[in-house]
Amino acid sequence: MTTLFISDLHLDPSRPQITELFLRLLRNEAQQAQSLFILGDLFEAWIGDDAPGAIGTAVARGLSACARAGTEIGFIRGNRDFLLDASYARSCGMRLLPDPCVVTLTGIPTLLLHGDLLCTDDLAYQRFRAGSRTAAWRESFLARPVAEREAFARQARAESQRHQQGVDAQITDANPQAVLDMLRLYGVPRMIHGHTHRPAVHELPDGDRRYVLGDWYTQGSVLRIDGSGWNLQQL
Ligand code: MN
């Protein structure tokens, strides 16, 4: 049986071929898999479950067909789709998982997370993250009209791009000590995350290992776990 991990698809009307690549995965391999884990930033932006848009609607249809075929689907929110909530998850037939959480894969307890929690050197981002994850922020944002929320998302994206370009690449990567601390905190030897768009398998002290999923801007990045092992591949 196969378990699939993906993240950072950043689905957006400007890249229809990437949405199509994902829907194809859902129609084919994902339906045969035992489980599919989506580790955040499935969508480039998510302004609330009441406004899924054409892509959100097509994705819900694809995911729920996959769930009906028997695949267990788990979702961890990313920094772009942190407002995705129970109502949309229900329409997809997927389970919302806490960030981080531990699952056992091929007998190995493994920490799953989006990955932004590990970027502890990016103080500006961590400040925004803390401020926007409160119930009060969420309620007041979701109460605003859709057009206003869309404008906010556009502005946040532009600011994030400026920020990424303005700071050293190391600042926006996972902090090595934060990685080790996180593994120790949960007492597990392995983690899987996305967010940094730097796909790799990192060997850590004591045989520990960190799998980093890649983004889906030009192709798909998938971690497949099956009888042949743990394989980080491209679609
Ligand atoms: Mn991210």
Side-chain angles (χ1 to χ4, degrees):
M1 278 308 240
T2 306
T3 300
L4 301 172
F5 287 87
I6 55 177
S7 73
D8 303 283
L9 289 81
H10 292 271
L11 299 180
D12 184 78
S14 66
R15 288 182 295 276
Q17 70 284 6
I18 295 298
T19 302
E20 192 38 53
L21 184 65
F22 178 52
L23 294 175
R24 210 153 52 225
L25 178 79
L26 293 180
R27 281 194 299 270
N28 298 299
E29 189 183 2
Q31 297 215 3
Q32 316 303 319
Q34 182 180 1
S35 35
L36 167 68
F37 289 92
I38 304 169
L39 303 189
D41 288 358
L42 172 59
F43 299 103
E44 176 74 1
W46 193 261
I47 58 165
D49 288 6
D50 58 333
I55 292 182
T57 303
V59 164
R61 213 175 292 131
L63 282 169
S64 62
C66 198
R68 279 196 304 276
T71 306
E72 279 182 50
I73 306 170
F75 183 87
I76 289 181
R77 299 175 177 98
N79 53 299
R80 300 304 191 97
D81 46 21
F82 67 97
L83 288 169
L84 195 154
D85 213 351
S87 140
Y88 183 72
R90 214 165 22 244
S91 74
C92 297
M94 67 186 183
R95 203 149 58 97
L96 284 176
L97 302 171
D99 182 11
C101 64
V102 176
V103 295
T104 300
L105 303 161
T106 62
I108 303 167
T110 303
L111 194 66
L112 308 182
L113 60 171
H114 176 56
D116 51 336
L117 280 172
L118 301 170
C119 301
T120 52
D121 295 323
D122 195 344
L123 300 176
Y125 169 68
Q126 293 298 339
R127 254 195 312 275
F128 168 77
R129 187 182 197 281
S132 59
R133 301 298 169 100
T134 64
W137 191 95
R138 187 188 187 89
E139 271 168 35
S140 83
F141 182 79
L142 292 175
R144 288 154 71 176
V146 167
E148 231 179 82
R149 284 183 265 159
E150 280 170 344
F152 177 89
R154 270 195 303 276
Q155 194 193 332
R157 184 170 9 172
E159 267 169 34
S160 155
Q161 274 165 0
R162 261 199 308 280
H163 176 63
Q164 297 277 339
Q165 285 159 6
V167 299
D168 196 85
Q170 214 182 324
I171 301 281
T172 55
D173 199 357
N175 174 290
Q177 191 57 46
V179 168
L180 300 180
D181 289 348
M182 192 71 92
L183 287 174
R184 196 166 317 125
L185 180 64
Y186 285 86
V188 297
R190 201 166 278 201
M191 68 164 68
I192 305 171
H193 70 82
H195 179 65
T196 60
H197 303 186
R198 294 166 170 99
V201 182
H202 296 278
E203 301 291 342
L204 303 170
D206 307 320
D208 292 358
R209 209 177 273 174
R210 172 166 76 103
Y211 286 79
V212 187
L213 304 165
D215 64 72
W216 281 49
Y217 284 130
T218 55
Q219 60 193 339
S221 173
V222 179
L223 171 65
R224 273 193 193 84
I225 301 178
D226 56 24
S228 74
W230 293 43
N231 301 297
L232 183 59
Q233 293 161 337
Q234 283 172 345
L235 288 179

